[in-house]
Amino acid sequence: MTNRKPQTLSEAASLIDAVPLVGEGDGPVEGVYCSDLLSDVLANAPENSLWITVQNHRNIVAVAETRDVTAIVVAGGRPVSDDTKKQAERLEIPIYSSPLTVYEIAGRLYVAGVGREERCGPQSPPGPQCPPRQKIAGEPQ
Amino acid sequence: MRMRIDPVTYTPFHEALYDLRVRDAMSKNLIVLGPEATMLDAQIAMRDHRISGIPIVIDGDKLVGLVSIQDVIEALVANDIHAPVGKWMTEKVYTVREKIPLIQAVKELQKRGFGRLPVLNAEDRLVGMLTNNDVTRAVMLRLNEEARAAEQREADLMARSMSATQERPGIERIEIRVEPMDLDAAGTFAGLVKKAVKKRGVSPDVARRAAIAAYEAEVNVILHSMGGILEAFLSDQDITILSRDRGPGIPNVDEAMKEGFSTANEVVRALGFGAGMGLPNMKRCSDEFSISAPASGTTVTMKILFNPPSQATHQENATEEKT
């Protein structure tokens, strides 16, 4: 695992041990949203983000399409039905599967700096733009 | 895999039986005789009116007995057809009250093997007779009424739909019919809306807001209504999304507009629906939003401008004004 902040779907996927079930790609990853409530995702998922969820039914595809997320990551290695995969292929929504829990996935991506203000990335020196952060356990120095 | 959750099994026939009371079904045109009439009078009355039993009353409506065909036959066999009915009538008559549910009276008819039951009011006065035929007719009438009301609602919905369509020529229109609880279809309308607005070269934010508004409206009709019609009208400047369903409406719209309020059941909540964010999401995504939700059906109208005057106020990511 490198300390470099992942910028694309494939880079982010390798960081969270995720394998593609549908589609692959180098779509941009600028944010992450973790939620299992569909309307919450529709309302709040940031642009060009990974959506981390334990929901694995076919409605997640329509939500991802509606909200323009870059990809769905189904956490906890939960199975995804062929029906859902087919729908995702049709709408060209990548679906990845990770054996990690939502917490672990979010933790790794957060530590790597995904979705945090650019000025406060892990490499940025503390300053007026970026107040010093609390050190997070496991975070690379 | 079809994801379709059947609505609670409901049998209109039983519902009608519970809903109706005895007085709604009973015959009120009563053929009665006084105790001084003869068994021959009773036989003639039964033949003329094609009934199988005659209540015997005093003072006009005070029940004292019942003469059935069986009683007439027995009088004939005994060669006593000219005797007063008072001699042959059944005196211990089983009766029902006019206000009890029809289902209860039906059970009595079945349990005791009676063909008819005299109906009394609260003052013990005879007000009607109830036969199996009366029960069947009343239930059929009620079911027919309900069917007609449902047809009328459907016709109203169609009429509203037609008028909206014909109003504005040169407008691109999308229409989709939605069946209750058909979660497989969720996102169909939103997908069409998104494609249509994208084709017009709107900003990604506008396209997303239109799609979200459409999706939430679609899911609401699927989850909370008896089905309906979703439409979108695209002009050069905006898209209007119109969602209309067959009811049952929203008892308290103010409450439903609050984030977190939901009436969704456990099954759909486990799928991630029913967060109580649908209506608030729809409002936040729209430049104009209106809702009316009588029991006959909920109508939601949302307009989204293709070129919003100030982007800042329309970012659906923007947090709501805090007061």
Side-chain angles (χ1 to χ4, degrees):
Chain A
M1 195 194 299
T2 67
N3 289 343
R4 201 168 70 83
K5 174 173 162 181
Q7 313 273 354
T8 66
L9 181 50
S10 50
E11 287 169 11
S14 78
L15 184 66
I16 56 174
D17 303 341
V19 293
L21 301 180
V22 175
E24 249 178 280
D26 283 316
V29 173
E30 293 163 11
V32 178
Y33 201 69
C34 303
S35 180
D36 301 320
L37 292 177
L38 308 185
S39 286
D40 176 36
V41 176
L42 287 175
N44 299 315
E47 239 172 280
N48 297 325
S49 60
L50 290 183
W51 171 23
I52 320 294
T53 181
V54 296
Q55 297 288 7
N56 55 357
H57 54 82
R58 65 177 272 164
N59 290 102
I60 59 177
V61 180
V63 170
E65 153 77 4
T66 302
R67 183 66 213 190
D68 287 326
V69 302
T70 298
I72 303 168
V73 178
V74 177
R78 281 166 60 101
V80 175
S81 68
D82 289 344
D83 184 49
T84 306
K85 288 181 200 165
K86 225 175 277 168
Q87 180 78 351
E89 270 159 28
R90 211 168 63 73
L91 295 178
E92 297 175 7
I93 303 290
I95 300 184
Y96 278 66
S97 168
S98 168
L100 307 179
T101 64
V102 173
Y103 176 70
E104 289 169 316
I105 293 170
R108 287 194 188 179
L109 292 168
Y110 187 87
V111 166
V114 181
R116 287 192 281 170
E117 293 284 331
E118 202 54 54
R119 61 176 198 271
C120 295
Q123 278 84 32
S124 51
Q129 284 284 324
C130 185
R133 287 177 295 118
Q134 292 283 312
K135 186 179 177 296
I136 298 164
E139 183 172 359
Q141 289 294 323
Chain B
M1 179 191 76
R2 289 285 295 166
M3 194 193 302
R4 196 185 171 99
I5 295 142
D6 286 327
V8 182
T9 318
Y10 109 103
T11 56
F13 190 85
H14 282 99
E15 214 160 77
L17 270 180
Y18 277 102
D19 216 28
L20 290 166
R21 309 222 158 226
V22 167
R23 67 172 165 216
D24 302 322
M26 67 187 188
S27 326
K28 291 169 196 158
N29 293 330
L30 293 179
I31 310 299
V32 297
L33 289 173
E36 71 291 343
T38 65
M39 288 304 277
L40 184 61
D41 294 334
Q43 188 207 343
I44 291 166
M46 284 187 205
R47 188 196 63 203
D48 289 354
H49 298 286
R50 291 196 199 140
I51 52 178
S52 56
I54 295 185
I56 310 303
V57 297
I58 54 171
D59 303 337
D61 57 6
K62 175 117 182 64
L63 185 72
V64 293
L66 193 72
V67 171
S68 65
I69 285 179
Q70 189 62 34
D71 299 326
V72 170
I73 292 168
E74 282 173 22
L76 275 171
V77 168
N79 203 14
D80 199 17
I81 195 72
H82 297 285
V85 289
K87 184 177 170 189
W88 288 95
M89 71 186 183
T90 308
E91 284 179 60
K92 262 191 81 179
V93 182
Y94 197 85
T95 60
V96 289
R97 299 285 171 179
E98 61 172 343
K99 286 184 183 169
I100 65 167
L102 191 55
I103 184 92
Q104 222 170 305
V106 168
K107 282 178 187 157
E108 290 298 335
L109 282 168
Q110 283 172 351
K111 196 169 74 187
R112 296 170 193 273
F114 291 157
R116 74 208 69 79
L117 283 169
V119 182
L120 303 185
N121 67 10
E123 286 81 46
D124 278 341
R125 297 296 176 174
L126 181 70
V127 290
M129 289 292 283
L130 185 73
T131 65
N132 282 313
N133 272 348
D134 295 329
V135 173
T136 308
R137 198 187 53 227
V139 171
M140 287 307 176
L141 279 175
R142 170 61 61 96
L143 291 178
N144 194 31
E145 265 171 37
E146 278 171 17
R148 287 237 301 264
E151 271 169 27
Q152 189 58 48
R153 279 200 298 273
E154 185 74 7
D156 289 348
L157 195 59
M158 290 299 116
R160 284 192 289 167
S161 174
M162 294 305 284
S163 64
T165 317
Q166 287 160 358
E167 213 159 271
R168 299 185 289 173
I171 298 278
E172 183 185 350
R173 176 164 174 275
I174 298 166
E175 179 193 308
I176 244 188
R177 271 150 198 284
V178 176
E179 294 302 320
M181 295 317 265
D182 187 7
L183 284 174
D184 266 2
T188 313
F189 180 63
L192 293 173
V193 163
K194 193 168 190 182
K195 214 161 123 193
V197 291
K198 269 188 166 171
K199 224 164 54 189
R200 290 174 184 251
V202 302
S203 74
D205 172 62
V206 168
R208 200 177 305 126
R209 284 197 286 118
I212 293 171
Y215 184 86
E216 294 285 14
E218 196 175 4
V219 167
N220 270 357
V221 175
I222 291 172
L223 289 187
H224 299 296
S225 85
M226 298 187 276
I229 297 175
L230 291 159
E231 290 163 289
F233 304 91
L234 290 94
S235 76
D236 293 338
Q237 290 93 38
D238 55 47
I239 176 170
T240 301
I241 295 169
L242 191 55
S243 161
R244 288 173 296 183
D245 65 45
R246 298 189 183 91
I250 304 171
N252 188 337
V253 172
D254 289 340
E255 200 160 39
M257 291 300 302
K258 277 185 209 152
E259 210 151 291
F261 178 86
S262 174
T263 55
N265 66 36
E266 287 307 311
V267 179
V268 299
R269 280 186 200 222
L271 296 172
F273 295 101
M277 295 174 68
L279 285 172
N281 268 2
M282 285 153 78
K283 189 173 181 186
R284 193 164 48 223
C285 286
S286 312
D287 293 293
E288 285 171 33
F289 175 92
S290 76
I291 179 168
S292 84
S296 57
T298 300
T299 302
V300 179
T301 314
M302 296 172 284
K303 186 183 269 188
I304 292 141
L305 305 176
F306 290 159
N307 295 300
S310 154
Q311 280 288 338
T313 57
H314 294 280
Q315 286 288 340
E316 99 279 10
N317 278 333
T319 47
E320 290 206 282
E321 321 79 55
K322 303 206 166 59
T323 48

